[in-house]
Amino acid sequence: GAVVSQHPSWVICKSGTSVKIECRSLDFQATTMFWYRQFPKQSLMLMATSNEGSKATYEQGVEKDKFLINHASLTLSTLTVTSAHPEDSSFYICSAPGGWGGRRGTQYFGPGTRLTVL
Amino acid sequence: QQQVKQSPQSLIVQKGGISIINCAYENTAFDYFPWYQQFPGKGPALLIAIRPDVSEKKEGRFTISFNKSAKQFSLHIMDSQPGDSATYFCAASSSGSARQLTFGSGTQLTVLP
């Protein structure tokens, strides 16, 4: 099946620093990718929709200046958490809808990135 | 309108038993209903999915039952194994939303040996 990778798998940073998380579709192209945040024992919360070649669409309550999204190519989307604070500590997961390389309608998830802000 | 309600929140089943997780939705535009399995510290993995033109889909020990008129669907895990212990999420999406998923709240399944 289609594979989505994320890098890094975990990161620890100091408060006030910025962290970049990469999401790659390895064997298919994705004009759209989704970014989620998941707190312990909770469901996935959609943060934003990343669109290749255009601006990301953010969900209500998500600060677009804090969570910068860049969909630079058909296989890569990045999420940058700017000026991170301890409350940003969470599990960040990306996904991409299957299309040319995957079953249409299926979404494939990355393995997630654990962010801990000290 | 966008919610997907999932129950139970947690479920404990003996090895070999049947695990049943239920979901209900309101948005009639939803046309794709996947179930995801998530282990701690990992991303969700697609388990099985169904479209509303069929009432049941079976893949190995996993079966989705779908009731379009009631706007409900459920996951049945037959012969549950300790390795099935994980969190299960139902979800729904529509073709008109770039396949954006709406997730249920999740069910923590524990299968006792």
Side-chain angles (χ1 to χ4, degrees):
Chain A
V3 177
V4 174
S5 70
Q6 277 184 246
H7 178 80
S9 56
W10 60 270
V11 57
I12 301 173
C13 70
K14 293 182 178 180
S15 184
T17 61
S18 294
V19 174
K20 179 185 285 188
I21 302 170
E22 293 185 348
C23 176
R24 294 181 184 273
S25 55
L26 296 186
D27 53 358
F28 67 103
Q29 294 178 323
T31 56
T32 300
M33 291 184 176
F34 300 100
W35 286 96
Y36 297 85
R37 181 166 52 183
Q38 186 179 36
F39 292 106
K41 297 190 182 300
Q42 293 189 22
S43 188
L44 286 79
M45 292 178 56
L46 180 67
M47 298 176 64
T49 301
S50 173
N51 303 298
E52 190 269 336
S54 64
K55 292 183 179 180
T57 303
Y58 291 82
E59 295 300 299
Q60 190 172 9
V62 177
E63 300 176 58
K64 59 183 178 182
D65 293 333
K66 181 171 186 61
F67 299 100
L68 300 179
I69 291 174
N70 182 21
H71 199 138
S73 74
L74 288 172
T75 59
L76 173 64
S77 175
T78 60
L79 168 68
T80 301
V81 183
T82 62
S83 186
H85 291 286
E87 57 265 31
D88 298 323
S89 298
S90 188
F91 193 51
Y92 292 86
I93 311 171
C94 68
S95 73
W100 304 328
R103 291 176 291 170
R104 190 166 296 278
T106 304
Q107 277 217 30
Y108 300 96
F109 283 81
T113 297
R114 172 73 59 192
L115 171 62
T116 301
V117 184
L118 302 177
Chain B
Q1 185 78 0
Q2 289 295 320
Q3 270 192 322
V4 176
K5 295 182 180 180
Q6 184 172 347
S7 63
Q9 183 176 358
S10 63
L11 179 62
I12 299 175
V13 173
Q14 291 286 341
K15 178 182 177 181
I18 302 174
S19 305
I20 301 175
I21 305 171
N22 301 299
C23 285
Y25 65 98
E26 297 178 355
N27 187 350
T28 55
F30 286 147
D31 59 4
Y32 178 70
F33 303 89
W35 284 89
Y36 286 87
Q37 179 189 57
Q38 185 180 31
F39 292 103
K42 305 294 183 182
L46 179 66
L47 200 58
I48 188 173
I50 197 169
R51 298 188 185 277
D53 53 343
V54 297
S55 60
E56 185 175 283
K57 182 175 181 180
K58 183 176 181 180
E59 289 185 0
R61 297 185 293 110
F62 302 94
T63 300
I64 299 179
S65 296
F66 185 82
N67 186 329
K68 187 175 182 178
S69 61
K71 292 186 283 186
Q72 296 175 346
F73 59 110
S74 61
L75 175 69
H76 296 233
I77 305 175
M78 312 299 287
D79 186 26
S80 298
Q81 299 296 313
D84 297 331
S85 298
T87 300
Y88 293 81
F89 293 96
C90 63
S93 70
S94 64
S95 56
S97 64
R99 288 300 166 196
Q100 176 179 313
L101 288 169
T102 299
F103 279 91
S105 54
T107 296
Q108 175 70 54
L109 172 65
T110 302
V111 181
L112 301 176

